[in-house]
Amino acid sequence: MKAPQAKKIDHIIEKHKDVRNDQYYWMNQRESPDVLQYLEDENKFADFVMQDTETLQSELFEEMKARYKKDDASLPYFFNGYWYIVRYEDGKDYPIFTRKKETLEAEEEILLDANQLADGLEYFEIGSLTVSPDNKTLAFSYDKIGRRIYQINFKNLETKELYTDKIENNTGKIVWANDNEHVFYITKDESLRADKVYRHRLGESENVLVYHEEDDTFDVGLFKTKSLEYIFIATSSTNEDEQRFIPADNVNAEWTIIQPRTEDLEYSVEHYGDLFYIITNTDDATNFKIVTTPVSQPSKENWTDHIPHREEVLLEGFEIFKNYFVIEERTEGLLQIKIINNDSGNAHYLEFSDPTYTAYIGINLEFDTKILRYGYTSLTKPNSTFEYDMETQTSTLLKQQEVLGGKFDADNYISERIWATARDGKKIPISLVYHKNTAKKSDTPLLLYGYGSYGVTIDATFSNVRLSLLDRGFIYAIAHIRGGEYLGREWYEDGKMLQKKNTFTDFIDAGKYLTEINYTSPKHLYAMGGSAGGLLMGAVINMEPKLFTGVVAQVPFVDVVTTMLDDSIPLTTGEYDEWGNPNEEEYYQYMKSYSPYDNIVAQDYPNILITTGFHDSQVQYWEPAKWTAKLRDLKTDDNILIFKTDMTSGHGGASGRFESLKEIALEYAFLLKIENKN
């Protein structure tokens, strides 16, 4: 079977006197029979190329599925008189949301069975659920397409009947007012930007617009404080925040702004007593600090330092208790949890022993308690939830992720953190995990994962599906490259805008270092990344096509210039502060110099698997489609190039508890197929 050859239609795009001919531009016509035929042809070709791995894919799928507990349940948490539990039943793909009144021995009440809503649908995802303060009404949202456009419904928890109220085209976020009658929600504009906040009263058809964000570089968020006393509208761009609030008891109150948006001022707010607690970068607090301000006078001139800025510590979050203040911070890349006694001022840290790990504050809904719930995981240890007595400084394990389907033993796996040197002298952290029987040598297969954008940090976490690679002799590594915040805010700033290429060269230098220290060799080195990490994959194989023998690019953002010039595409205008605005020539030329689609040349490329979702609202399907077509046309090798489109899903892949495992099975089979040839 021959690989599909997409037709070429000249399409001239001129900007800043620079002329580009995008011959695959026609692929953005979603309903075009030619587009649908091309995607179908690519899917058939991918199946043909991978047909010799069908048994392996099935084996991998069943193996990974077997590790999951089929009738699993979440750890219960107590809120407003009820214990809330999310559970799964054997043979069902979707969660069942339940509660028990006052005690865990009480009769279970099913709030919502997502399996019933998903019946007969190819795609289904719950957005959120929230119960009214009087515990009588459930508001819930769901997406049936995969474009992250949700519908909100309401359920009477006393009669079990659905209300006729139905709210469409929203973000899925729902916030109840304290009157049990009103909810607030957010709608999206044509580009799928969250832009308007409405107030809805149960039983009424007219919804009241309470806020419209007209600046298309800002998105809108919505939340209720932990105290349940205030409702906030949060508007944010990449580098600026503005938050306004009303008392949750008065839906008709005037919205009060904490601090009007100011260039490069970021902040987020929580409440306790007479104060707002704010994490912010004001006053050159690059790695953030925490301030307090009176609720009655919340503007910046009244902000007082509570936790000062420290150059070497990135503040990531906090939790307020009556007698304790808990901070989530990152030092030299590793997350730490610091506990401060409000009365004495004494502080201590929780102790963690793995060389690379993730620790985080869990669900803590009570103020007047000495118990902190936190989570911990590492590359070798399954996700665990603990309760920590902040007074006695003792931890109790509440629940640990079960790994079934075999005799999993954490002691059979080894994790490390090593440091590569970038070409400009910066030290790049790399987290690794491998089976204790896997030798680090030149013929050992190694999969290097990377992301490196938006300040998102890819921490070292456990994956039970990843065991299928580790048990087959792979080393798995994460390159904590610039563009993320692993080493603080400056690590992010040094990998965005006009410094974006540092992200790509860091990944390349990390890969080269792993070969230099003989953990692997280019013949056995593989790379993987998704979304903005897919951009990373595309840039890297243009710059260093012989460093990796195989690459998996998931929902890749690869047509940077054309997308960033089109403000009708979701996310575009809101991301000018991440990539730059190509309407300005300096940013246009810089983007063009690394955009994967624009820099494909006639050369040998590694084996490549590209995946996408037809309904993807974050990275439109046509970006990887165009990229595939152009690679096919220009590449000079005989290596594998396959492109797989899930016609029923969006950016997050297939829905359902186990369906997404088939996608992972395909990716692993692709890697193993190449490795077995080597």
Side-chain angles (χ1 to χ4, degrees):
M1 186 176 182
K2 291 185 178 180
Q5 296 297 318
K7 66 181 179 181
K8 298 178 182 179
I9 301 175
D10 289 344
H11 181 86
I12 304 300
I13 304 173
E14 184 172 354
K15 191 73 176 179
H16 306 298
K17 298 181 180 179
D18 180 61
V19 178
R20 293 180 300 134
N21 185 7
D22 186 353
Q23 294 180 311
Y24 303 107
Y25 187 84
W26 60 271
M27 289 187 182
N28 69 4
Q29 302 302 307
R30 184 180 299 274
E31 305 302 326
S32 165
D34 288 347
V35 170
L36 296 173
Q37 186 63 54
Y38 173 71
L39 298 179
E40 182 181 339
D41 290 345
E42 285 286 1
N43 278 349
K44 288 179 179 178
F45 181 69
D47 291 341
F48 171 76
V49 172
M50 296 297 291
Q51 65 182 350
D52 60 336
T53 70
E54 287 178 359
T55 300
L56 174 60
Q57 288 183 55
S58 179
E59 176 186 317
L60 287 164
F61 172 73
E62 295 298 335
E63 182 179 293
M64 292 185 288
K65 183 179 177 181
R67 296 194 187 105
Y68 284 86
K69 188 177 181 182
K70 306 303 184 295
D71 56 351
D72 203 7
S74 69
L75 196 63
Y77 69 88
F78 190 75
F79 178 69
N80 195 24
Y82 285 84
W83 287 96
Y84 286 86
I85 304 167
V86 181
R87 63 178 179 82
Y88 287 88
E89 292 183 353
D90 192 0
K92 295 184 178 180
D93 278 335
Y94 296 94
I96 300 169
F97 299 88
T98 73
R99 68 179 181 180
K100 296 182 178 183
K101 190 171 184 178
E102 299 296 346
T103 171
L104 287 171
E105 284 68 48
E107 184 180 354
E108 177 187 81
E109 176 188 357
I110 294 179
L111 301 174
L112 193 72
D113 185 344
N115 296 282
Q116 295 176 0
L117 293 172
D119 187 40
L121 299 176
E122 292 182 322
Y123 182 92
F124 183 82
E125 180 191 25
I126 289 286
S128 64
L129 290 87
T130 178
V131 177
S132 59
D134 64 4
N135 289 314
K136 294 180 179 179
T137 309
L138 173 71
F140 62 95
S141 62
Y142 56 88
D143 171 15
K144 297 190 294 184
I145 298 176
R147 285 186 66 76
R148 298 183 180 177
I149 302 173
Y150 294 86
Q151 176 178 305
I152 297 173
N153 284 40
F154 299 87
K155 181 180 180 181
N156 186 317
L157 293 177
E158 295 179 317
T159 67
K160 308 303 180 186
E161 294 178 345
L162 290 177
Y163 286 88
T164 57
D165 304 54
K166 187 184 296 182
I167 304 171
E168 298 180 340
N169 182 36
N170 57 78
T171 65
K173 177 69 175 180
I174 314 157
V175 172
W176 280 99
N178 287 349
D179 62 4
N180 303 299
E181 294 182 353
H182 291 90
V183 295
F184 293 85
Y185 65 93
I186 309 167
T187 60
K188 296 185 174 187
D189 65 13
E190 291 182 356
S191 71
L192 303 186
R193 177 180 68 94
D195 69 331
K196 293 177 181 177
V197 177
Y198 284 87
R199 185 177 72 236
H200 173 78
R201 186 174 186 176
L202 278 177
E204 294 186 357
S205 57
E206 290 296 320
N207 298 320
V208 179
L209 176 66
V210 296
Y211 181 77
H212 180 200
E213 179 52 66
E214 297 184 354
D215 186 334
D216 61 8
T217 65
F218 278 74
D219 279 317
V220 178
L222 193 61
F223 69 95
K224 199 174 191 178
T225 57
K226 178 179 175 179
S227 66
L228 308 179
E229 294 183 32
Y230 297 98
I231 295 171
F232 271 80
I233 295 174
T235 54
S236 302
S237 68
T238 303
N239 298 322
E240 293 177 32
D241 295 300
E242 181 179 81
Q243 300 202 6
R244 63 199 73 221
F245 66 95
I246 58 170
D249 291 331
N250 184 3
V251 299
N252 295 308
E254 290 292 321
W255 292 82
T256 300
I257 296 177
I258 295 282
Q259 172 63 31
R261 62 190 64 174
T262 305
E263 187 175 0
D264 294 330
L265 174 64
E266 299 176 58
Y267 69 92
S268 60
V269 185
E270 192 45 275
H271 167 254
Y272 181 67
D274 297 326
L275 298 175
F276 286 129
Y277 289 74
I278 301 173
I279 186 167
T280 178
N281 66 346
T282 189
D283 303 324
D284 298 318
T286 306
N287 279 332
F288 296 89
K289 64 180 181 178
I290 298 172
V291 301
T292 60
T293 190
V295 171
S296 58
Q297 296 176 302
S299 56
K300 185 173 175 289
E301 60 266 23
N302 300 305
W303 293 3
T304 302
D305 281 9
H306 184 65
I307 305 294
H309 175 248
R310 290 164 289 169
E311 292 287 345
E312 72 283 1
V313 177
L314 174 67
L315 287 179
E316 295 208 344
F318 62 89
E319 191 75 59
I320 308 168
F321 296 91
K322 181 180 179 181
N323 298 317
Y324 299 92
F325 195 81
V326 182
I327 306 170
E328 220 173 56
E329 58 186 43
R330 189 182 294 272
T331 304
E332 294 185 347
L334 297 180
L335 282 160
Q336 298 182 342
I337 297 177
K338 182 178 183 180
I339 297 164
I340 304 170
N341 186 303
N342 291 337
D343 293 329
S344 67
N346 293 333
H348 67 278
Y349 288 90
L350 299 184
E351 294 185 3
F352 307 116
S353 58
D354 287 289
T356 180
Y357 62 85
T358 301
Y360 54 92
I361 298 171
I363 298 175
N364 295 272
L365 302 177
E366 300 293 326
F367 281 108
D368 191 4
T369 179
K370 62 177 183 176
I371 300 300
L372 167 73
R373 187 173 283 191
Y374 73 93
Y376 179 84
T377 180
S378 73
L379 291 170
T380 61
K381 292 184 175 63
N383 192 51
S384 302
T385 303
F386 295 86
E387 275 191 350
Y388 181 74
D389 188 316
M390 294 182 281
E391 184 179 300
T392 64
Q393 300 185 19
T394 55
S395 283
T396 303
L397 176 64
L398 297 181
K399 180 180 173 64
Q400 185 175 69
Q401 174 189 358
E402 293 187 55
V403 183
L404 306 179
K407 296 180 180 179
F408 168 75
D409 183 349
D411 292 336
N412 286 333
Y413 303 89
I414 299 170
S415 67
E416 298 180 28
R417 189 171 65 150
I418 61 176
W419 300 74
T421 302
R423 60 196 64 186
D424 63 358
K426 299 284 187 180
K427 296 294 185 181
I428 309 161
I430 306 172
S431 296
L432 305 102
V433 62
Y434 50 90
H435 195 281
K436 67 179 183 180
N437 294 332
T438 297
K440 294 173 288 187
K441 55 183 182 177
S442 61
D443 62 353
T444 298
L446 188 150
L447 175 60
L448 183 62
Y449 185 88
Y451 188 74
S453 291
Y454 305 110
V456 173
T457 296
I458 306 300
D459 278 309
T461 61
F462 183 80
S463 165
N464 61 10
V465 299
R466 189 189 301 140
L467 297 175
S468 292
L469 276 187
L470 302 184
D471 291 348
R472 287 173 171 82
F474 267 75
I475 298 174
Y476 178 83
I478 305 168
H480 304 290
I481 51 184
R482 278 175 278 189
E485 278 188 345
Y486 190 81
L487 293 181
R489 182 69 176 197
E490 289 184 0
W491 200 243
Y492 168 41
E493 298 291 343
D494 209 19
K496 62 185 283 197
M497 304 285 276
L498 297 175
Q499 286 77 46
K500 188 64 211 170
K501 288 182 184 178
N502 285 335
T503 302
F504 315 136
T505 55
D506 278 1
F507 193 80
I508 290 169
D509 293 343
K512 288 183 174 179
Y513 179 70
L514 289 166
T515 66
E516 289 166 5
I517 62 174
N518 215 37
Y519 276 46
T520 188
S521 61
K523 190 176 181 181
H524 300 277
L525 181 59
Y526 303 86
M528 179 184 287
S531 195
L535 161 65
L536 171 67
M537 296 299 103
V540 162
I541 62 173
N542 282 335
M543 298 166 69
E544 290 280 350
K546 295 182 179 179
L547 179 58
F548 300 94
T549 195
V551 170
V552 177
Q554 307 151 321
V555 291
F557 172 43
V558 284
D559 191 12
V560 184
V561 179
T562 305
T563 292
M564 293 303 296
L565 282 170
D566 187 350
D567 59 14
S568 71
I569 294 176
L571 304 181
T572 293
T573 54
E575 300 207 349
Y576 288 159
D577 290 330
E578 178 71 25
W579 314 102
N581 183 349
N583 293 299
E584 300 175 26
E585 187 169 6
E586 181 182 23
Y587 291 105
Y588 173 89
Q589 296 295 349
Y590 188 75
M591 275 183 204
K592 186 185 175 188
S593 72
Y594 69 73
S595 173
Y597 181 65
D598 291 288
N599 287 279
I600 299 170
V601 296
Q603 64 179 1
D604 286 0
Y605 281 92
N607 298 281
I608 307 171
L609 166 61
I610 302 167
T611 63
T612 192
F614 185 63
H615 299 291
D616 195 332
S617 60
Q618 310 298 106
V619 179
Q620 308 298 316
Y621 72 87
W622 59 78
E623 291 200 37
K626 291 166 57 177
W627 186 45
T628 302
K630 192 171 181 181
L631 279 168
R632 282 210 194 288
D633 185 48
L634 292 178
K635 77 188 191 83
T636 54
D637 58 84
D638 294 322
N639 289 329
I640 296 171
L641 171 59
I642 50 177
F643 173 45
K644 189 78 171 177
T645 303
D646 185 333
M647 299 302 292
T648 67
S649 74
H651 198 62
S655 67
R657 193 160 43 139
F658 301 121
E659 197 64 25
S660 61
L661 296 180
K662 294 178 181 177
E663 299 171 356
I664 300 172
L666 172 65
E667 294 167 355
Y668 285 8
F670 169 78
L671 297 172
L672 292 164
K673 175 184 174 79
I674 300 165
E675 180 60 22
N676 289 336
K677 283 186 176 180
N678 289 337

